[in-house]
Amino acid sequence: VGFLTRIEKLRTAIKQAGFDGYLIFNSVNTLYFLGFPGASALLVPPEGESTLYVYGVNYEQAKAVSKGFDVQLVKGSENLLAKIAAQAKANGSKKLGADALGVDAWRNLSKEFPHEDAVQVNGGLVQELRKVKDLEEIALMRRAGEITSEGMEAAAEAVMAGAKEYEVAAEIEYAMRRVGAGPTAFETIVASGACSAFPHGGCSGREIRKGDLVVVDVGATFNYYCSDMTRTFVAGKASVRQQKIYQTVLKAHNVAFEAIKAGAVIGEVDAAARKTISDAGFGEYFVHRLGHGVGLEVHEPPSMFTENKDVLAAGNVVTDEPGIYIPGFGGVRIEDTVLVTTKGAEKLTAGSYSLDGV
Ligand code: GLY
Ligand code: MN
Ligand code: MN
């Protein structure tokens, strides 16, 4: 497992940022570097083994799974920040970076050092690493995508007039758990009728009626990695207006997918999808960004919005999810999770694009 490789990449980034040590508190970041979620902190020295701080409840597990790390037991009565500061000083660190620290924690940690600017928060450098998925992460995200696609197949069968939104959600989540999913990456959205016009419409006990648009947004996790996929169905036969909206969103989704590749400017990908929707006369109803990065978190960098001048890199995983939401009428969103490659893009979620339901 490439966890120590990730630490070495972090060490390079730390030095480039002018630090001689780095402290990680964010639990998603410790998960990224360790592969298990139970660590309270991780201290990376300029050289040699990193120190992992773990309370008793997770200590044995940490020792069992964290090879190549110095695992320190933290007792409930101990001052964790003082313990970390003592180790950082023993490591010779004089300029310590940290991924995330509250103001109180920053003050309490800083006072252990002789210079008042010894600790600086810079979480961006870990985010930059996490944006580019390595081969192990890509394999896990492929599986998360496959499982999510199975969940969507269950949705396509369950969406029908007379079914309640939560019944559809139950079928989806059952299908995903059956094939090895972890908890869902976010609360499953089954939003029918006028509620489908709320992009994050919830999942209620509403009964789906004939002719309703139904937005289904679902994401499995697999080994902590997330996936994110949306399809929109009509219970029964779609009207001409529903079809026109659907075809517009699908076109925007395809235009964006074609534009996604290493080196593409993110803002230009968003703008291409947005132009497709504006040209069809629905510009004011596309009320959110084109998409977002996905990984250990369902929403993480990079953010896919018009003003973003960053470029995509091979190994980024992002969503392509244009939508049109017409208040009082209903909404359509089509979303896939997409891996950026040097040649173009690969969909990690897969499924047909078909509006008509049963
Ligand atoms: N599932 C939330 C989103 O699509 O961003
Ligand atoms: Mn989604
Ligand atoms: Mn999404």
Side-chain angles (χ1 to χ4, degrees):
V1 182
F3 295 114
L4 291 175
T5 308
R6 290 180 198 163
I7 292 282
E8 285 315 314
K9 284 187 183 162
L10 173 64
R11 230 194 286 260
T12 303
I14 290 168
K15 284 185 185 143
Q16 278 169 2
F19 299 119
D20 57 8
Y22 197 76
L23 178 58
I24 299 171
F25 274 116
N26 177 290
S27 61
V28 184
N29 287 342
T30 57
L31 176 61
Y32 176 71
F33 287 109
L34 299 166
F36 102 109
S40 293
L42 174 62
L43 179 65
V44 180
E47 260 132 52
E49 256 183 6
S50 301
T51 308
L52 187 57
Y53 296 88
V54 191
Y55 284 91
V57 61
N58 292 319
Y59 182 61
E60 288 303 324
Q61 190 188 2
K63 278 199 299 182
V65 301
S66 304
K67 300 293 175 214
F69 292 86
D70 168 32
V71 184
Q72 290 285 322
L73 174 67
V74 187
K75 300 198 192 78
S77 58
E78 269 181 307
N79 180 337
L80 176 58
L81 291 171
K83 197 176 167 89
I84 289 170
Q87 182 65 48
K89 282 190 276 190
N91 291 345
S93 296
K94 293 189 174 61
K95 209 154 177 61
L96 197 62
D99 65 340
L101 274 179
V103 174
D104 276 352
W106 177 79
R107 211 178 270 132
N108 287 328
L109 189 59
S110 295
K111 75 177 186 214
E112 305 283 338
F113 289 86
H115 303 291
E116 136 178 314
D117 62 349
V119 183
Q120 279 179 25
V121 177
N122 178 344
L125 51 93
V126 180
Q127 286 294 356
E128 286 303 312
L129 294 180
R130 281 177 46 193
K131 265 182 7 190
V132 180
K133 273 64 183 176
D134 60 35
L135 293 178
E136 279 173 57
E137 294 181 287
I138 290 168
L140 297 172
M141 295 198 74
R142 270 211 180 89
R143 186 68 194 129
E146 285 167 5
I147 294 172
T148 300
S149 306
E150 289 201 34
M152 194 59 78
E153 277 178 39
E157 283 173 28
V159 169
M160 63 181 80
K164 293 192 171 72
E165 291 176 349
Y166 63 66
E167 291 170 346
V168 176
E171 293 299 332
I172 295 167
E173 294 183 11
Y174 180 70
M176 298 197 302
R177 278 286 194 177
R178 290 273 316 197
V179 292
T184 54
F186 54 90
E187 268 192 54
T188 303
I189 295 172
V190 179
S192 64
C195 284
S196 65
F198 305 138
H200 283 170
C203 179
S204 73
R206 185 182 183 279
E207 199 173 287
I208 296 168
R209 288 195 223 120
K210 197 159 172 265
D212 277 353
L213 280 165
V214 186
V215 171
V216 178
D217 188 349
V218 38
T221 57
F222 183 69
N223 204 349
Y224 305 111
Y225 280 86
C226 299
S227 200
D228 194 4
M229 177 181 193
T230 305
R231 289 291 183 272
T232 303
F233 306 99
V234 166
K237 204 164 162 34
S239 70
V240 172
R241 189 174 183 211
Q242 287 170 336
Q243 283 179 23
K244 172 151 195 251
I245 294 168
Y246 190 86
Q247 290 308 323
T248 302
V249 174
L250 183 56
K251 191 169 166 199
H253 178 81
N254 290 336
V255 162
F257 182 71
E258 293 304 321
I260 292 174
K261 56 169 165 301
V265 177
I266 288 173
E268 292 176 7
V269 178
D270 176 284
R274 211 162 288 282
K275 180 171 188 311
T276 306
I277 288 176
S278 297
D279 286 352
F282 296 108
E284 69 185 287
Y285 303 115
F286 181 11
V287 295
H288 55 67
R289 58 186 175 171
L290 175 69
H292 51 85
V294 186
L296 287 169
E297 292 172 285
V298 71
H299 294 139
E300 59 177 50
S303 182
M304 307 279 282
F305 61 99
T306 307
E307 294 79 12
N308 191 344
K309 302 210 163 42
D310 293 345
V311 294
L312 292 169
N316 291 163
V317 176
V318 298
T319 65
D320 169 10
E321 53 174 312
I324 294 175
Y325 310 91
I326 301 183
F329 177 78
V332 171
R333 178 167 65 256
I334 300 173
E335 173 178 34
D336 283 305
T337 299
V338 169
L339 169 67
V340 180
T341 69
T342 48
K343 294 191 192 72
E346 175 194 328
K347 286 178 191 170
L348 301 182
T349 51
S352 58
Y353 303 94
S354 161
L355 184 56
D356 284 317
V358 276

PDB file of all heavy atoms in Angstrom, residues 57 62 72 75 90 111 127 155 167 199 293 312 314 338 340 356:
ATOM      1  N   VAL A  57      -8.874   3.749  22.575  1.00  0.00           N
ATOM      2  CA  VAL A  57      -9.917   3.010  21.864  1.00  0.00           C
ATOM      3  C   VAL A  57      -9.431   2.508  20.502  1.00  0.00           C
ATOM      4  O   VAL A  57      -9.877   1.464  20.025  1.00  0.00           O
ATOM      5  CB  VAL A  57     -11.198   3.878  21.737  1.00  0.00           C
ATOM      6  CG1 VAL A  57     -10.945   5.156  20.943  1.00  0.00           C
ATOM      7  CG2 VAL A  57     -12.344   3.102  21.137  1.00  0.00           C
ATOM      8  N   ALA A  62      -4.456   0.795  15.436  1.00  0.00           N
ATOM      9  CA  ALA A  62      -3.457   1.663  14.791  1.00  0.00           C
ATOM     10  C   ALA A  62      -2.129   0.944  14.670  1.00  0.00           C
ATOM     11  O   ALA A  62      -1.467   1.004  13.628  1.00  0.00           O
ATOM     12  CB  ALA A  62      -3.300   2.955  15.590  1.00  0.00           C
ATOM     13  N   GLN A  72       1.895   6.464  18.980  1.00  0.00           N
ATOM     14  CA  GLN A  72       1.929   6.925  20.376  1.00  0.00           C
ATOM     15  C   GLN A  72       0.524   6.869  20.983  1.00  0.00           C
ATOM     16  O   GLN A  72      -0.426   7.395  20.406  1.00  0.00           O
ATOM     17  CB  GLN A  72       2.418   8.370  20.446  1.00  0.00           C
ATOM     18  CG  GLN A  72       3.888   8.548  20.103  1.00  0.00           C
ATOM     19  CD  GLN A  72       4.795   8.082  21.235  1.00  0.00           C
ATOM     20  OE1 GLN A  72       4.481   8.280  22.409  1.00  0.00           O
ATOM     21  NE2 GLN A  72       5.894   7.430  20.878  1.00  0.00           N
ATOM     22  N   LYS A  75      -3.215   9.328  26.488  1.00  0.00           N
ATOM     23  CA  LYS A  75      -4.154   9.051  27.584  1.00  0.00           C
ATOM     24  C   LYS A  75      -5.134  10.215  27.721  1.00  0.00           C
ATOM     25  O   LYS A  75      -4.805  11.354  27.368  1.00  0.00           O
ATOM     26  CB  LYS A  75      -3.381   8.867  28.889  1.00  0.00           C
ATOM     27  CG  LYS A  75      -2.383   7.715  28.824  1.00  0.00           C
ATOM     28  CD  LYS A  75      -1.972   7.294  30.240  1.00  0.00           C
ATOM     29  CE  LYS A  75      -0.785   6.361  30.198  1.00  0.00           C
ATOM     30  NZ  LYS A  75       0.494   7.082  29.969  1.00  0.00           N
ATOM     31  N   ALA A  90      11.753  17.887  19.540  1.00  0.00           N
ATOM     32  CA  ALA A  90      12.759  16.817  19.507  1.00  0.00           C
ATOM     33  C   ALA A  90      13.125  16.472  18.061  1.00  0.00           C
ATOM     34  O   ALA A  90      14.269  16.085  17.780  1.00  0.00           O
ATOM     35  CB  ALA A  90      12.232  15.583  20.240  1.00  0.00           C
ATOM     36  N   LYS A 111       2.376  28.489  21.906  1.00  0.00           N
ATOM     37  CA  LYS A 111       3.055  28.965  23.119  1.00  0.00           C
ATOM     38  C   LYS A 111       4.100  27.973  23.625  1.00  0.00           C
ATOM     39  O   LYS A 111       4.915  28.302  24.471  1.00  0.00           O
ATOM     40  CB  LYS A 111       2.036  29.321  24.195  1.00  0.00           C
ATOM     41  CG  LYS A 111       1.389  28.152  24.879  1.00  0.00           C
ATOM     42  CD  LYS A 111       0.437  28.628  25.980  1.00  0.00           C
ATOM     43  CE  LYS A 111      -0.081  27.421  26.735  1.00  0.00           C
ATOM     44  NZ  LYS A 111      -1.446  27.568  27.193  1.00  0.00           N
ATOM     45  N   GLN A 127      -4.481  19.272   0.222  1.00  0.00           N
ATOM     46  CA  GLN A 127      -5.556  19.244  -0.776  1.00  0.00           C
ATOM     47  C   GLN A 127      -4.978  19.060  -2.174  1.00  0.00           C
ATOM     48  O   GLN A 127      -5.545  18.354  -3.009  1.00  0.00           O
ATOM     49  CB  GLN A 127      -6.381  20.541  -0.734  1.00  0.00           C
ATOM     50  CG  GLN A 127      -7.318  20.652   0.463  1.00  0.00           C
ATOM     51  CD  GLN A 127      -8.435  19.629   0.456  1.00  0.00           C
ATOM     52  OE1 GLN A 127      -8.593  18.847  -0.461  1.00  0.00           O
ATOM     53  NE2 GLN A 127      -9.219  19.609   1.527  1.00  0.00           N
ATOM     54  N   ALA A 155     -32.794   1.971  -8.957  1.00  0.00           N
ATOM     55  CA  ALA A 155     -33.685   3.141  -8.985  1.00  0.00           C
ATOM     56  C   ALA A 155     -34.560   3.129 -10.227  1.00  0.00           C
ATOM     57  O   ALA A 155     -35.763   3.406 -10.156  1.00  0.00           O
ATOM     58  CB  ALA A 155     -32.858   4.427  -8.934  1.00  0.00           C
ATOM     59  N   GLU A 167     -39.210   4.731  -0.457  1.00  0.00           N
ATOM     60  CA  GLU A 167     -39.152   3.326  -0.902  1.00  0.00           C
ATOM     61  C   GLU A 167     -38.110   3.153  -2.015  1.00  0.00           C
ATOM     62  O   GLU A 167     -37.379   2.161  -2.054  1.00  0.00           O
ATOM     63  CB  GLU A 167     -40.529   2.865  -1.384  1.00  0.00           C
ATOM     64  CG  GLU A 167     -41.541   2.735  -0.251  1.00  0.00           C
ATOM     65  CD  GLU A 167     -42.979   2.514  -0.730  1.00  0.00           C
ATOM     66  OE1 GLU A 167     -43.277   2.711  -1.927  1.00  0.00           O
ATOM     67  OE2 GLU A 167     -43.806   2.166   0.136  1.00  0.00           O
ATOM     68  N   PRO A 199     -32.444  21.497  -6.305  1.00  0.00           N
ATOM     69  CA  PRO A 199     -31.284  20.647  -6.604  1.00  0.00           C
ATOM     70  C   PRO A 199     -30.947  19.673  -5.478  1.00  0.00           C
ATOM     71  O   PRO A 199     -30.551  18.540  -5.751  1.00  0.00           O
ATOM     72  CB  PRO A 199     -30.169  21.666  -6.834  1.00  0.00           C
ATOM     73  CG  PRO A 199     -30.863  22.880  -7.342  1.00  0.00           C
ATOM     74  CD  PRO A 199     -32.185  22.912  -6.617  1.00  0.00           C
ATOM     75  N   GLY A 293     -14.780  18.179  -7.292  1.00  0.00           N
ATOM     76  CA  GLY A 293     -13.926  17.016  -7.112  1.00  0.00           C
ATOM     77  C   GLY A 293     -14.575  16.003  -6.192  1.00  0.00           C
ATOM     78  O   GLY A 293     -15.452  16.336  -5.388  1.00  0.00           O
ATOM     79  N   LEU A 312      -7.249  21.163 -15.329  1.00  0.00           N
ATOM     80  CA  LEU A 312      -7.404  19.785 -14.886  1.00  0.00           C
ATOM     81  C   LEU A 312      -6.105  19.022 -15.118  1.00  0.00           C
ATOM     82  O   LEU A 312      -5.358  19.317 -16.050  1.00  0.00           O
ATOM     83  CB  LEU A 312      -8.545  19.110 -15.661  1.00  0.00           C
ATOM     84  CG  LEU A 312      -9.945  19.638 -15.352  1.00  0.00           C
ATOM     85  CD1 LEU A 312     -10.957  19.093 -16.358  1.00  0.00           C
ATOM     86  CD2 LEU A 312     -10.359  19.264 -13.927  1.00  0.00           C
ATOM     87  N   ALA A 314      -4.322  14.924 -15.089  1.00  0.00           N
ATOM     88  CA  ALA A 314      -4.594  13.486 -15.073  1.00  0.00           C
ATOM     89  C   ALA A 314      -4.606  13.011 -13.627  1.00  0.00           C
ATOM     90  O   ALA A 314      -3.734  13.379 -12.837  1.00  0.00           O
ATOM     91  CB  ALA A 314      -3.532  12.746 -15.874  1.00  0.00           C
ATOM     92  N   VAL A 338     -16.259  11.394 -13.004  1.00  0.00           N
ATOM     93  CA  VAL A 338     -15.388  11.257 -14.171  1.00  0.00           C
ATOM     94  C   VAL A 338     -13.914  11.337 -13.757  1.00  0.00           C
ATOM     95  O   VAL A 338     -13.526  12.220 -12.998  1.00  0.00           O
ATOM     96  CB  VAL A 338     -15.734  12.404 -15.166  1.00  0.00           C
ATOM     97  CG1 VAL A 338     -14.721  12.492 -16.272  1.00  0.00           C
ATOM     98  CG2 VAL A 338     -17.140  12.229 -15.733  1.00  0.00           C
ATOM     99  N   VAL A 340     -10.160  12.146 -14.908  1.00  0.00           N
ATOM    100  CA  VAL A 340      -9.420  12.876 -15.937  1.00  0.00           C
ATOM    101  C   VAL A 340      -8.179  12.066 -16.306  1.00  0.00           C
ATOM    102  O   VAL A 340      -7.435  11.624 -15.431  1.00  0.00           O
ATOM    103  CB  VAL A 340      -8.997  14.271 -15.420  1.00  0.00           C
ATOM    104  CG1 VAL A 340      -8.221  15.027 -16.501  1.00  0.00           C
ATOM    105  CG2 VAL A 340     -10.217  15.066 -14.973  1.00  0.00           C
ATOM    106  N   ASP A 356     -37.737   8.049 -19.968  1.00  0.00           N
ATOM    107  CA  ASP A 356     -38.992   7.334 -19.751  1.00  0.00           C
ATOM    108  C   ASP A 356     -38.838   6.232 -18.708  1.00  0.00           C
ATOM    109  O   ASP A 356     -37.919   5.424 -18.781  1.00  0.00           O
ATOM    110  CB  ASP A 356     -39.482   6.717 -21.062  1.00  0.00           C
ATOM    111  CG  ASP A 356     -40.094   7.790 -21.958  1.00  0.00           C
ATOM    112  OD1 ASP A 356     -40.847   8.629 -21.435  1.00  0.00           O
ATOM    113  OD2 ASP A 356     -39.822   7.784 -23.166  1.00  0.00           O
TER     114      ASP A 356
END
